[in-house]
Amino acid sequence: MINSLKTLFIAFILFISINEAYSQFGYGLTFSNDLYNRYTNPTDGIAHNGNGTALLTFGLGPKIWIGGESFSFSAETQVNLSLVGLSMPDYKGLGSVSFPVIGKFNFAGLSGLNKEGRFGLSIGGGMQWNRTELLYLANDYQDRGVRREFYKTYIMHLGYGFGISGFTAELFGKYGFNPDLDGASNFHIGLQFGFNIPYLKRIDDPASAL
């Protein structure tokens, strides 16, 4: 599956390079705020494996775009951190962190390369590394053999939002799974913002767009 994703992304980039003589490139940052997330660790048969929160979850990382105003491909990664994620059925500790690496197909306003404001759609996938109970894992659970290590999931992303002049804002849903790890998954709903630095600069310097 990993090799298939890599092949797809490489083929898409080559397609753009060959078929769009005027393809454009951008780079910048992406920021996200999960309105709700839930992580499910691989089943260990000892303790409840869930962890979730609707509070204080933020992500930040680099992003690049290639394509045109109506259609682009982007690649991004983030550090997503929550210090208040917890398991309600049996409290074991606080916090969660994840590191997604995602490739996206972006349409219309979410291309990140459009000048005029438009609504648009993004569809993508990739991998994510997750860990819960970052802080204060209770000693009694540790004594019983509970461990909270990073686990990997394959993720799917869907978003809808608005973009203009290098800025994008979208409501997104993201789901991750791993068929090789019993019970492992993750789920996120939130808001994500993209900042294409070269295009944002054009707002302050209209002559650069000529």
Side-chain angles (χ1 to χ4, degrees):
M1 183 173 183
I2 295 175
N3 291 333
S4 298
L5 288 172
K6 289 180 179 178
T7 301
L8 178 62
F9 294 157
I10 292 172
F12 180 75
I13 292 173
L14 291 175
F15 175 81
I16 290 179
S17 301
I18 294 172
N19 291 281
E20 291 197 23
Y22 299 100
S23 64
Q24 302 168 73
F25 177 80
Y27 60 89
L29 295 172
T30 176
F31 171 80
S32 66
N33 174 27
D34 282 2
L35 302 177
Y36 174 76
N37 66 43
R38 178 175 174 79
Y39 299 93
T40 306
N41 288 273
T43 302
D44 60 13
I46 303 173
H48 188 268
N49 57 350
N51 179 294
T53 185
L55 299 172
L56 302 175
T57 300
F58 304 103
L60 181 67
K63 182 169 184 173
I64 59 173
W65 296 259
I66 183 170
E69 291 195 26
S70 298
F71 183 52
S72 73
F73 173 79
S74 62
E76 66 185 60
T77 185
Q78 286 189 336
V79 178
N80 293 327
L81 179 65
S82 173
L83 297 179
V84 295
L86 54 82
S87 172
M88 294 297 291
D90 53 5
Y91 172 79
K92 296 178 290 297
L94 284 176
S96 61
V97 66
S98 62
F99 300 93
V101 179
I102 306 177
K104 295 179 183 177
F105 301 105
N106 310 293
F107 302 89
L110 293 186
S111 75
L113 300 165
N114 54 302
K115 300 181 183 69
E116 298 181 356
R118 301 169 66 186
F119 287 93
L121 180 74
S122 69
I123 302 172
M127 294 179 290
Q128 181 166 299
W129 288 263
N130 316 277
R131 186 180 175 188
T132 66
E133 278 79 40
L134 294 176
L135 306 172
Y136 315 119
L137 181 60
N139 289 333
D140 56 333
Y141 282 101
Q142 293 187 60
D143 294 341
R144 291 164 56 188
V146 174
R147 299 290 182 268
R148 288 296 181 253
E149 308 293 342
F150 279 101
Y151 67 95
K152 181 175 68 177
T153 52
Y154 303 101
I155 53 177
M156 299 177 291
H157 164 100
L158 178 64
Y160 182 79
F162 181 84
I164 182 172
S165 300
F167 171 76
T168 60
E170 63 182 299
L171 176 67
F172 73 90
K174 185 171 62 176
Y175 175 72
F177 65 97
N178 190 332
D180 298 323
L181 298 176
D182 183 30
S185 67
N186 59 278
F187 175 72
H188 308 255
I189 290 180
L191 299 173
Q192 184 168 358
F193 306 92
F195 304 89
N196 185 337
I197 294 174
Y199 276 70
L200 290 172
K201 287 181 178 179
R202 295 183 187 185
I203 300 175
D204 299 325
D205 183 14
S208 65
L210 300 178

